[in-house]
Amino acid sequence: MEKIYGYVRVSSFDQNEERQLMALTKVNVPKENVYMDKQSGKDFERPHYKRLVRKLKSGDLLYILSIDRLGRNYEEIQKQWRILTKDIGVDICVIDMPLLDTRNGKDLMGTFIADLVLQILSFVAQNERENIRKRQAQGIAAAKAKGIKFGRPETPVPKDFAKTVKKWEEKQIPFCEAVKHCNMSESTFYRKLREYRMAKK
């Protein structure tokens, strides 16, 4: 008997887990048949997706909210669509795009339209992700140009840094005491020491 499944993927860039789960609930996907992967931008292993693919059988129905849940780029989306629909023989329904429902139009014209829409949408999905990254990079560059700093705030150098360095160099105090007095980590102390010595030249 054919089964209904749902797949959810969220990443550090796209935390819409609840929206995807709600969409699957509305189309009556059983909770036990929902597979979800949470991943960082660098990691695309998707262990739950692989488990789902192994479980799917011909005639099963897979729901996803949007086409970009299938892959991170144009080629990957196309590849996964082929594996699911052609190799395994499952039906796919993309909730956000009713045209991408393989249950409709099983004839040659219907298949052609679905494949054409898939190609366009997967390209658009990849293009949009690349544009988002580009806009993020441009925003960061513009902020840096205005003097906005990212990351941890710079550790201030104490006023008596030169005196502390001199005491340490003359072996009046141990290194650990010099670092503690300056309220710095060892790496920060060495970096500030290099900057201090360069400034003296």
Side-chain angles (χ1 to χ4, degrees):
M1 186 176 176
E2 296 83 5
K3 291 185 177 180
I4 300 173
Y5 294 91
Y7 179 64
V8 172
R9 178 173 67 82
V10 290
S11 68
S12 54
F13 294 108
D14 176 23
Q15 298 297 337
N16 63 357
E17 173 185 338
E18 284 306 315
R19 191 167 73 90
Q20 292 181 66
L21 290 171
M22 282 174 63
L24 295 179
T25 301
K26 284 180 181 177
V27 292
N28 300 315
V29 178
K31 282 186 179 179
E32 65 272 18
N33 288 354
V34 174
Y35 289 73
M36 179 166 62
D37 282 309
K38 292 186 178 184
Q39 63 190 62
S40 69
K42 293 179 181 176
D43 175 31
F44 204 71
E45 286 301 309
R46 300 194 297 170
H48 290 95
Y49 177 76
K50 290 177 180 176
R51 197 172 300 155
L52 167 64
V53 171
R54 287 196 296 269
K55 192 148 188 149
L56 289 168
K57 291 181 174 61
S58 179
D60 288 344
L61 173 61
L62 174 64
Y63 280 100
I64 54 174
L65 178 59
S66 56
I67 192 63
D68 60 353
R69 300 305 90 190
L70 280 184
R72 58 183 167 178
N73 56 46
Y74 178 82
E75 289 80 11
E76 183 68 25
I77 292 169
Q78 295 276 350
K79 178 185 174 186
Q80 293 308 319
W81 186 272
R82 275 196 308 274
I83 289 170
L84 294 168
T85 61
K86 304 288 195 297
D87 298 351
I88 301 174
V90 304
D91 278 314
I92 302 177
C93 177
V94 181
I95 299 168
D96 274 358
M97 180 52 62
L99 274 172
L100 284 178
D101 185 340
T102 58
R103 294 171 298 177
N104 302 328
K106 291 282 187 180
D107 59 2
L108 186 61
M109 181 57 72
T111 302
F112 171 74
I113 292 170
D115 285 349
L116 187 62
V117 171
L118 169 69
Q119 288 186 42
I120 294 167
L121 289 180
S122 55
F123 171 78
V124 169
Q126 179 179 343
N127 198 50
E128 179 57 23
R129 276 194 301 275
E130 288 173 358
N131 285 337
I132 288 169
R133 289 195 191 100
K134 201 177 289 180
R135 287 195 293 269
Q136 285 174 337
Q138 288 169 346
I140 290 169
K144 284 182 176 177
K146 290 179 182 177
I148 297 170
K149 294 187 177 180
F150 294 86
R152 293 181 181 179
E154 188 72 16
T155 304
V157 177
K159 290 180 181 178
D160 61 346
F161 184 70
K163 286 183 180 178
T164 304
V165 169
K166 188 178 180 185
K167 283 183 179 180
W168 168 61
E169 288 176 336
E170 292 177 352
K171 296 186 169 38
Q172 294 178 30
I173 57 171
F175 176 72
C176 59
E177 190 177 322
V179 171
K180 188 177 179 182
H181 178 78
C182 294
N183 195 28
M184 297 175 180
S185 65
E186 291 184 9
S187 58
T188 302
F189 181 86
Y190 277 124
R191 182 162 53 83
K192 295 297 180 184
L193 181 61
R194 281 196 301 273
E195 291 171 4
Y196 166 70
R197 285 173 174 166
M198 288 292 289
K200 280 178 68 179
K201 286 183 179 180

